[in-house]
């Protein structure tokens, strides 16, 4: 058997190709800006600029993982070696990204505390120029992804990765603004502590995002799914059909797909196929197995 009999399709589709191209453009822009900000952050001594560059780098990595996952999933959509689909590839990438992001943020906290205790000289003028350039790239990227995200609402398949990328770029723009504020304070008032303070704020934002991403992706990877309300609805539906709910399992097979295994006692005669169709619609699943026990 070379193809799965019942496959849950997890593909980007023709409509998402334009969104993928726009995402690729943003990857190139953010990667270039990341390198520029990190180099100048080290060169000028600005920790805020360095933090913003690393923050942008994590977003670049996340977008790159998304593109790789799309390609890998599309090429393996009929691969029978995946139980349901290759959709969890992007989830695993997101979880890995969250772990690395959290470790990076902790490192930046350590560096910021050391800078507060032992200030260093900062080349504010050069750092401000690069920070403004980084903010401009963030705004352009947000515009590009925002257009793609808006188009997604007209599609049947909602791209959670693209939505997340859009939010991340907006967050990056905020850290760029904070970095510029700190550098301007240093340039005109000779203060170096705002640079380290802003780095702490940026690290806090990164930690919060990393925790949220780790939690959401981790739940999918370990098949955690809060199902109480849906179980009650399924039990009521089966009861109305003359059957009884015996067992139910619900889990996510990707960020935007679900599967279900439902076992029921034999309902009214001839109601099985209709019940399966109704259950699939109620649970919004892409793969439903209905077991009827006599």
């Amino acid at each position: 058997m070379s193809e799965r009999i019942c496959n849950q399709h997890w593909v980007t589709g023709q409509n998402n190709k334009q969104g993928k191209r726009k995402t690729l453009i943003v990857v190139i822009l953010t990667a270039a800006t990341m390198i520029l900000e990190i180099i100048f952050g080290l060169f000028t001594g600005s920790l805020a600029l360095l933090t913003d560059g690393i923050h942008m780098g994590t977003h670049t990595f996340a977008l790159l993982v998304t593109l790789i996952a799309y390609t890998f999933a599309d090429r393996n959509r009929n691969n029978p070696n995946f139980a349901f689909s290759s959709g969890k590839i992007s989830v695993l990438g997101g979880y890995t990204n969250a772990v690395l992001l959290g470790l990076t943020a902790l490192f930046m906290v350590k560096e910021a505390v050391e800078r507060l205790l032992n200030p260093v000289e900062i080349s504010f003028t050069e750092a401000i120029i690069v920070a403004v350039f980084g903010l401009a790239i963030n705004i352009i990227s947000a515009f590009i992804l925002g257009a793609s995200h808006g188009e997604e609402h007209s599609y049947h398949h909602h791209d959670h990765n693209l939505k997340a990328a859009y939010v991340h770029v907006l967050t990056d723009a905020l850290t760029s603004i904070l970095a510029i504020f700190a550098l301007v304070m240093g340039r005109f008032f000779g203060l170096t502590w705002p640079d380290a303070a802003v780095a702490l704020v940026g690290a806090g934002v990164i930690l919060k995002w990393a925790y949220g991403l780790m939690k959401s992706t981790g739940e999918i990877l370990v098949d955690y799914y809060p199902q109480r309300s849906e179980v009650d609805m399924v039990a009521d539906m089966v009861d109305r059909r003359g059957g009884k709910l015996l067992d139910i399992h619900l889990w996510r097979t990707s960020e935007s797909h679900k599967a279900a295994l439902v076992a029921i006692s034999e309902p009214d005669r001839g109601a099985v196929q209709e019940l399966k169709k109704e259950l699939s619609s109620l649970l919004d699943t892409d793969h439903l197995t209905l077991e009827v026990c006599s």
Side-chain angles (χ1 to χ4, degrees), residues 80-243:
N81 294 323
F82 289 96
F84 289 95
S85 73
S86 52
K88 282 190 177 181
I89 293 295
S90 65
V91 181
L92 179 60
Y95 184 84
T96 304
N97 185 26
V99 173
L100 295 175
L101 184 57
L103 293 175
T104 300
L106 291 176
F107 173 76
M108 298 312 300
V109 169
K110 172 181 172 295
E111 289 294 311
V113 171
E114 290 182 356
R115 287 291 184 89
L116 286 173
L117 297 176
N118 303 294
V120 299
E121 185 178 348
I122 300 174
S123 301
F124 292 109
T125 302
E126 293 84 351
I128 289 173
I129 294 174
V130 177
V132 171
F133 177 77
L135 176 60
I137 293 298
N138 284 325
I139 293 174
I140 294 172
S141 299
F143 177 78
I144 293 173
L145 290 177
S148 296
H149 175 54
E151 292 168 0
E152 284 294 329
H153 290 286
S154 63
Y155 301 158
H156 172 70
H157 173 72
H158 184 74
D159 193 338
H160 294 275
N161 283 329
L162 193 61
K163 178 181 178 182
Y166 175 62
V167 174
H168 296 164
V169 170
L170 291 180
T171 303
D172 212 19
L174 174 61
T175 60
S176 293
I177 293 174
L178 291 175
I180 292 172
F181 171 77
L183 293 170
V184 169
M185 291 286 289
R187 173 67 177 80
F188 292 100
F189 300 100
L191 302 175
T192 58
W193 66 263
D195 183 74
V198 164
L200 282 174
V201 174
V205 172
I206 295 173
L207 278 174
K208 182 178 179 181
W209 178 74
Y211 172 76
L213 181 60
M214 190 182 299
K215 183 175 182 295
S216 61
T217 54
E219 288 177 351
I220 297 175
L221 291 174
V222 300
D223 294 330
Y224 174 84
Y225 187 85
Q227 59 182 14
R228 185 68 260 171
S229 60
E230 288 170 295
V231 170
D232 292 338
M233 290 189 296
V234 170
D236 290 341
M237 177 179 290
V238 174
D239 184 66
R240 289 196 303 270
R241 290 285 186 174

Side-chain angles (χ1 to χ4, degrees), residues 57-93:
T58 60
H59 293 169
T60 303
F61 179 78
L63 287 167
L64 187 60
V65 167
T66 299
L67 290 172
I68 294 173
Y70 278 146
T71 302
F72 188 81
D74 190 44
R75 289 180 179 178
N76 290 273
R77 63 182 182 274
N78 292 318
N79 189 336
N81 294 323
F82 289 96
F84 289 95
S85 73
S86 52
K88 282 190 177 181
I89 293 295
S90 65
V91 181
L92 179 60

Side-chain angles (χ1 to χ4, degrees), residues 252-263:
R252 294 194 178 278
T253 56
S254 73
E255 290 184 342
S256 53
H257 293 86
K258 290 192 300 183
L261 172 62
V262 181

